[in-house]
Amino acid sequence: MTRYLLPLGIFVALVALLFVGLRLDPREVPSPLIDKPAPAFSLPQLHDPNKTLSREDLLGKVYLLNVWASWCVSCRDEQPVLMQFAQTQQVDIYGFNYKDQRAEALRWLEMFGNPYVASVSDTDGRVGIDWGVYGVPETFVIDREGIIRYKHIGPVSQADLDTVLLPKVRELQGASR
């Protein structure tokens, strides 16, 4: 009888872990980069690869950095939301094109619209690794000092903008004025 207790105990522990895991929200993955300086980068701009954009170029402003790709189905879901939001000009949105071909990315922006002030191209994904990107879309809120203040995983919805991203942006914009 006691020889069955160890396997039974292991089974019960695994079921308990599975139960706990099923209750977690996959969009709430903690990022070790929150409240730390955004990783340094200098990447070619998508529309003009002869020009680069770097972390230093963006210091002094609050902005959103949206990680996207032409092959990303969920990016299509958030694109109309980003397009409409960009028209409000409440905060600059910069694009971070991840593991994509330049021609495909440009075609995608032509088809679905371009909400970005500028978009950089991380073709091989190496800079994305520094940012902790493991899927697209992801959106970061960066403050004036270049500190990551929030990371949103998954497509941005209007509700996400209204309840999380915009309040965070407004707080950061008001903090240094």
Side-chain angles (χ1 to χ4, degrees):
M1 181 65 151
T2 58
R3 73 179 198 181
Y4 296 114
L5 289 180
L6 181 61
L8 180 62
I10 292 172
F11 175 75
V12 169
L14 288 174
V15 169
L17 286 173
L18 177 64
F19 182 71
V20 168
L22 289 174
R23 301 180 121 214
L24 298 175
D25 184 352
R27 297 179 83 187
E28 293 182 13
V29 178
S31 172
L33 298 177
I34 301 301
D35 296 329
K36 294 194 172 60
F41 70 93
S42 181
L43 290 169
Q45 292 189 28
L46 191 59
H47 283 87
D48 185 354
N50 295 321
K51 291 183 182 177
T52 61
L53 185 69
S54 70
R55 176 187 182 275
E56 289 72 27
D57 295 330
L58 301 173
L59 290 175
K61 63 169 76 178
V62 175
Y63 64 95
L64 300 180
L65 183 74
N66 178 252
V67 183
W68 66 279
S70 65
W71 46 264
C72 168
V73 176
S74 296
C75 295
R76 289 186 187 195
D77 294 339
E78 79 174 355
Q79 195 69 2
V81 174
L82 293 178
M83 288 297 295
Q84 188 173 23
F85 179 64
Q87 292 175 358
T88 70
Q89 298 181 344
Q90 294 182 59
V91 65
D92 288 341
I93 306 172
Y94 288 87
F96 186 101
N97 185 243
Y98 183 66
K99 291 187 175 180
D100 209 349
Q101 298 300 312
R102 182 174 178 270
E104 292 297 317
L106 290 170
R107 186 173 13 261
W108 195 86
L109 288 175
E110 190 174 309
M111 285 175 51
F112 299 108
N114 185 357
Y116 308 114
V117 172
S119 199
V120 295
S121 179
D122 185 22
T123 307
D124 60 12
R126 289 185 184 171
V127 175
I129 291 170
D130 294 341
W131 280 77
V133 173
Y134 62 89
V136 290
E138 293 182 2
T139 303
F140 295 86
V141 178
I142 317 293
D143 73 10
R144 286 182 169 89
E145 288 77 38
I147 307 295
I148 297 174
R149 295 301 180 182
Y150 183 76
K151 178 180 180 180
H152 178 84
I153 297 172
V156 172
S157 68
Q158 189 61 51
D160 296 326
L161 274 173
D162 294 341
T163 62
V164 180
L165 295 172
L166 266 177
K168 180 63 79 176
V169 164
R170 288 183 184 127
E171 173 189 326
L172 294 171
Q173 288 172 333
S176 325
R177 286 190 180 171

